Amino acid sequence: MAGNGFSFGRGGNAGGPRPVRTPVQRLIYWAAVLAVWGAIFMVVFFAVFARDLPDTSTLYNVDRQPSITYLDRNGALIAVRGTQQAPPADLKSLPDYVPAAFIAIEDRRFYHHPGFDPVGMTRAMAANMRAGRVVQGGSTLTQQLAKNLFLSPDQNMKRKVQELMLAVWLEMKFSKDEILALYLNRVYFGAGAYGIEAASQRYFDKSAKQLTVGEAALLAGLLKAPSRYSPVSESERAGIRATVVLNEMVDAGVITPEQRAQAAASPVRVSRTLSSQHAQYFIDWLDKQIRELVGEPTEDMVVETTMDLTLQTQAERSVNRILTRDRSKGVQQAALVALDGDGRVRAMIGGASYADSQFNRAVDARRQAGSAFKPFVYLTALESGYTPETRVNDAPIRIGNWSPRNYSGTFAGEMSLANAVAQSTNTVAAGLADQIGRDNVARTARRLGITSRIGLEPAMALGAVEVSPIEMAQAFDAFANGGKRVKAYGISRIRTPQGRVIYQRSARADGAVQAISNPFLYYQNQMLRGVMTGGTGRSAAIAGRDIAGKTGTTSDYKDAWFVGYTGGFVTAVWVGKDDNTPMRGVTGGSSPAAIWRGFMEAALPRLNAPAIPNGPAMPEGWQPPNPVENLIGQIGDLFGDAPPADEAIPPEDQPTLEPRRPEPGPPVVRPTAPQPQREAPDQRPEPAPPPEKKADPLFF
């Protein structure tokens, strides 16, 4: 039937044709859909990540460990351990280029973003994709502040989202200048310094208000990696990084090219305290003692020490100069300890570089003493009835299965005890120890301050005893101070910054006791003076000074020592290698004596040290026998110039023993049981080098 049928056609429907959306309408529609779902996703997303956001009420709380400030004996700052938090710096009081340096290198768009920078994030993402690794960060200064204040340094998605949320919250709560001030006062600059004021004081000994353009650039460059760009341990790298900051400051219009050139041409001088890195060995030594004296620190403390920072610097220069000079001979490490007559540590060097190794060789290493141990043998002999003019015989001897012999392979025959000491004759020392008793020699060494294990094997007399430099300085101090035993120490007082005394060293603490009586001390000092004027220590002699000492060299030149003293001041020096392998011909009369002399020549004018004291009263009616004076006169003029270094000096003799085999494993320094060693000669000394020119530590 016509007219009653349904018409089916393309696109037809019962309700008429469906309207077709234009492209604009479709775009609006799908944008609305995506916006709804995006909003739902963001609400759920942020709800999940916001559940364990940190409590922002802790914004102004500073959680830090108590700081310990170390001062030298004159009140100069040595170091600060723990957290240093100075009063916050007022942003308005800083030179304009100081905050601008941080903005230029950390967040150029700081004043133009809402807490996060999409442009910077995109740029960083592209750079990282091109490099295939993270080479650039997209965090804003506000994000870094949020991370420092509230979050852990973990790198994960959750932490990054929380960082963004907190950055936006900070931007809503504070002005840009307030955020910048918070950032500068809370960020970590390395070396225990939090905030720009603490960093300025730590690195440059000045207030942040006094920072120069170059100093501001250095501090801004530190933030990328405080240890990697430290001007103390990585001065060259720090200088390069500071130059990058200066360039960014010019690009940002913060400074002019002329200011940049002037800053780059002006060396930045790091604090004398931080540049004295070897003092850190001394601070490490004190750290454990502080906890034994006052317990775990619960408040800021000031430790007044015995160190003389000027002497410490001179010790560092002398050690560095000789290590550099004698590197070709295999001299890799050195240790030095200087004590005054009461046992106060005035200077301590624990190794060639604290940055490379924190192991303190001055205190913790035990190395064979060689002939530097012989004074304990000779003092025991003097107390047993010998005198410097007693005739002894340099001839072949046999002690059990051991036959010590001299390095030259010959024997000098009869000689005086004083001459045997000066020339470090091995057969005489070994024979004397066997006669008077090696147990008695060990007791003498202990009485004077040697605390390490002392074996009683025959080679003990020639120094097959492992000791530390601080022990040797402690024991020799009795020769320098009139015969009193002392214990080395470095802490005089501990107080709070407000002045409340926590610990005060008592005058009776480890009080010095008379350990050597006369005439034995007088005889001992006369013989050890002879070592300096005509014996194996002649290269260390200093004209016009009353000094004495002893060289020591062990088998195959593995260890070399020089321990010398004047009135009330003793210095022990050791050189060697950590893996106990031989050096090349280095004796106690060469590298150690050169270090000792370089240090003492600089230190003696400051010390104004007297002549070596005679010590306790002599027995009634005692008179020094003329042969002693004649004998010393033959050895050399006590107070005159040292003989020329090119004169022939008999080598120090050495016994023939099997050398100790090196232990397996990586090279380490650790105590080992003393074993007999072949004593190497303290041969003809090398001429002392000219004094080193002083130079300020620079990084540009």
Side-chain angles (χ1 to χ4, degrees), residues 164-415:
L164 286 169
M165 296 170 67
L166 289 168
V168 173
W169 176 82
L170 286 170
E171 292 278 348
M172 294 172 63
K173 186 174 179 62
F174 300 101
S175 70
K176 287 289 187 179
D177 284 348
E178 288 173 330
I179 291 173
L180 182 57
L182 271 172
Y183 178 81
L184 291 178
N185 285 313
R186 299 295 289 274
V187 72
Y188 182 59
F189 286 89
Y194 285 84
I196 191 167
E197 182 65 29
S200 182
Q201 293 176 8
R202 181 68 66 89
Y203 287 105
F204 308 121
D205 286 334
K206 64 169 66 173
S207 169
K209 295 184 290 187
Q210 301 171 309
L211 288 171
T212 66
V213 172
E215 291 165 347
L218 185 145
L219 292 181
L222 271 176
L223 298 186
K224 184 176 182 179
S227 59
R228 178 176 174 81
Y229 296 106
S230 169
V232 177
S233 58
E234 301 291 343
S235 59
E236 183 176 354
R237 188 176 289 157
I240 294 172
R241 176 67 177 166
T243 303
V244 171
V245 176
L246 289 173
N247 293 337
E248 292 292 325
M249 293 172 72
V250 172
D251 290 345
V254 174
I255 59 174
T256 65
E258 291 74 21
Q259 287 177 299
R260 182 232 179 269
Q262 182 180 3
S266 303
V268 175
R269 288 168 171 79
V270 178
S271 163
R272 178 168 172 254
T273 298
L274 284 178
S275 65
S276 181
Q277 277 298 285
H278 289 100
Q280 303 305 316
Y281 290 112
F282 176 71
I283 300 304
D284 285 349
W285 179 57
L286 298 186
D287 187 67
K288 182 179 179 181
Q289 299 176 39
I290 290 170
R291 283 154 177 79
E292 292 173 350
L293 291 173
V294 302
E296 195 66 28
T298 58
E299 59 183 328
D300 291 350
M301 296 189 303
V302 177
V303 179
E304 298 174 1
T305 77
T306 62
M307 171 170 282
D308 186 319
L309 202 52
T310 298
L311 296 185
Q312 175 71 18
T313 302
Q314 291 163 346
E316 292 170 14
R317 287 174 175 162
S318 184
V319 167
N320 289 337
R321 178 167 52 83
I322 300 304
L323 286 180
T324 300
R325 189 195 74 178
D326 294 347
R327 186 178 293 119
S328 62
K329 299 179 181 179
V331 180
Q332 295 178 353
Q333 288 292 347
L336 179 151
V337 178
L339 307 180
D340 68 14
D342 293 320
R344 302 182 189 92
V345 176
R346 296 290 192 89
M348 177 182 287
I349 307 291
S353 169
Y354 184 83
D356 293 340
S357 170
Q358 289 77 55
F359 180 73
N360 191 342
R361 295 153 191 85
V363 175
D364 299 321
R366 299 291 187 275
R367 303 297 291 247
Q368 292 200 351
S371 291
F373 190 81
K374 288 178 182 176
F376 308 124
V377 175
Y378 295 125
L379 178 59
T380 309
L382 293 171
E383 294 174 338
S384 300
Y386 285 78
T387 65
E389 71 270 19
T390 299
R391 307 303 290 177
V392 291
N393 193 21
D394 175 18
I397 62 170
R398 188 172 191 83
I399 303 172
N401 295 323
W402 181 56
S403 296
R405 63 184 178 87
N406 297 322
Y407 179 75
S408 63
T410 62
F411 304 94
E414 190 176 276
M415 64 175 64

Side-chain angles (χ1 to χ4, degrees), residues 508-583:
R508 296 187 298 274
D510 303 314
V513 297
Q514 196 66 40
I516 312 173
S517 59
N518 265 323
F520 316 120
L521 176 63
Y522 172 84
Y523 287 149
Q524 180 84 341
N525 284 334
Q526 290 291 70
M527 293 194 299
L528 293 181
R529 283 181 175 118
V531 173
M532 308 293 286
T533 56
T536 58
R538 190 174 62 176
S539 64
I542 301 174
R545 295 289 182 177
D546 183 16
I547 54 178
K550 188 68 186 76
T551 56
T553 317
T554 60
S555 179
D556 297 327
Y557 307 104
K558 293 178 180 178
D559 301 281
W561 294 77
F562 189 85
V563 189
Y565 58 94
T566 186
F569 195 78
V570 60
T571 301
V573 179
W574 165 87
V575 303
K577 296 182 180 180
D578 282 346
D579 60 5
N580 203 39
T581 55
M583 297 174 286

Side-chain angles (χ1 to χ4, degrees), residues 147 151-156 159:
K147 179 180 67 176
L151 300 171
S152 71
D154 298 337
Q155 295 289 342
N156 55 57
R159 204 273 298 161

Side-chain angles (χ1 to χ4, degrees), residues 122-164:
T122 303
R123 183 176 59 247
M125 189 178 301
N128 294 337
M129 290 178 65
R130 285 195 301 270
R133 58 189 177 89
V134 178
V135 295
Q136 193 175 116
S139 294
T140 65
L141 189 148
T142 313
Q143 288 176 264
Q144 294 178 45
L145 176 62
K147 179 180 67 176
N148 290 334
L149 290 177
F150 305 119
L151 300 171
S152 71
D154 298 337
Q155 295 289 342
N156 55 57
M157 177 62 71
K158 181 178 181 180
R159 204 273 298 161
K160 196 67 178 176
V161 171
Q162 290 181 334
E163 178 186 293
L164 286 169

